[in-house]
Amino acid sequence: MTSTTDIHPAAFPPRLQAAGTTDAPFRPLLDATALPEGTMRRVTVGELDVLLVNTDHGVFATEDRCPHMSAPLSIGELDGCIVSCPLHEGRFDLVSGDTAQMPTTGGLDADGTYHPTWSPAGKDPKVDPPGKKAEARRLTRVRRLRYYPVRIADGAIEVAIPER
Ligand code: FES
C-alpha cells in the first residue's frame, strides 16, 4: 500500500517541460493513494487528458496522447519507466522522454531520421503500396514526451496546467 509520504515527483529533462507550464498554477488531480507505484491513470482537465504515472523514479505527468499518432497511453502497458502504446507498439522512456522502440509503422524519429516499417527478424521490411497513407506513415515524426511539473501537497498529486 502506497502512503502519501512515499510518493514524490520524478525529475524530467528540463528542455522537455510542456509549453506554458513554468508559471502555471498547480491543480490537485488525484489523491496520492489512488496511484500506487507501477500504475498509471488518465485525469482529464478541460480539453487536456493528463497521464499520471507512478514509477520507482517518482510521479511523471505527461499528455495522455502517444507522441506518434495520439493514442491514449493510459490503456497501454507500463514496464518500469517504459510505457508502451496500445496502437503500434511504440515504447517510450519516461526518464529521458525518448522513444525506446519505434512504432511498427516506422516513420521519422524525433531527430528526423527515417525508420522503415517493422518486419519480423530475417525478413525484408514490408513495402507499403505507394499512396498518401504510405507517405503519411513515412512522414509522421515521433516526438519526445513533454512533461507537466508535479508536486505532492495535502495528500494530493498536483500538476501545473496552463490556464486557457
Ligand atoms: S499511436 Fe502510439 S505507437 Fe502509434
Side-chain angles (χ1 to χ4, degrees), residues 16-47:
L16 298 182
Q17 183 169 333
T21 57
T22 301
D23 300 317
F26 280 86
R27 304 185 200 197
L29 296 197
L30 192 67
D31 192 289
T33 59
L35 193 72
E37 190 177 312
T39 66
M40 51 186 181
R41 288 272 296 266
R42 167 188 275 202
V43 180
T44 299
V45 181
E47 295 180 351

Side-chain angles (χ1 to χ4, degrees), residues 65-73 84-92 101-105 142:
R65 290 162 63 92
C66 177
H68 179 224
M69 291 185 182
S70 300
L73 293 172
S84 302
C85 177
L87 202 51
H88 307 116
E89 299 172 40
R91 288 163 57 83
F92 305 95
Q101 175 178 292
M102 278 294 284
T104 52
T105 54
V142 183

Side-chain angles (χ1 to χ4, degrees), residues 11-16 57 60 81-82 91-100 144-147:
F12 58 80
R15 70 195 170 91
L16 298 182
H57 281 64
F60 294 95
C81 287
I82 304 289
R91 288 163 57 83
F92 305 95
D93 185 336
L94 290 160
V95 174
S96 67
D98 289 331
T99 299
R144 292 186 171 86
L145 295 169
R146 294 288 186 276
Y147 298 88

Side-chain angles (χ1 to χ4, degrees), residues 119-163:
S119 57
K123 302 255 175 146
D124 290 333
K126 189 174 127 204
V127 178
D128 279 320
K132 292 284 185 192
K133 283 188 182 172
E135 189 177 2
R137 278 194 284 272
R138 185 172 58 78
L139 292 177
T140 297
R141 185 189 293 247
V142 183
R143 300 171 66 235
R144 292 186 171 86
L145 295 169
R146 294 288 186 276
Y147 298 88
Y148 293 80
V150 171
R151 74 182 184 191
I152 311 297
D154 297 329
I157 300 170
E158 297 191 347
V159 177
I161 297 175
E163 292 177 295

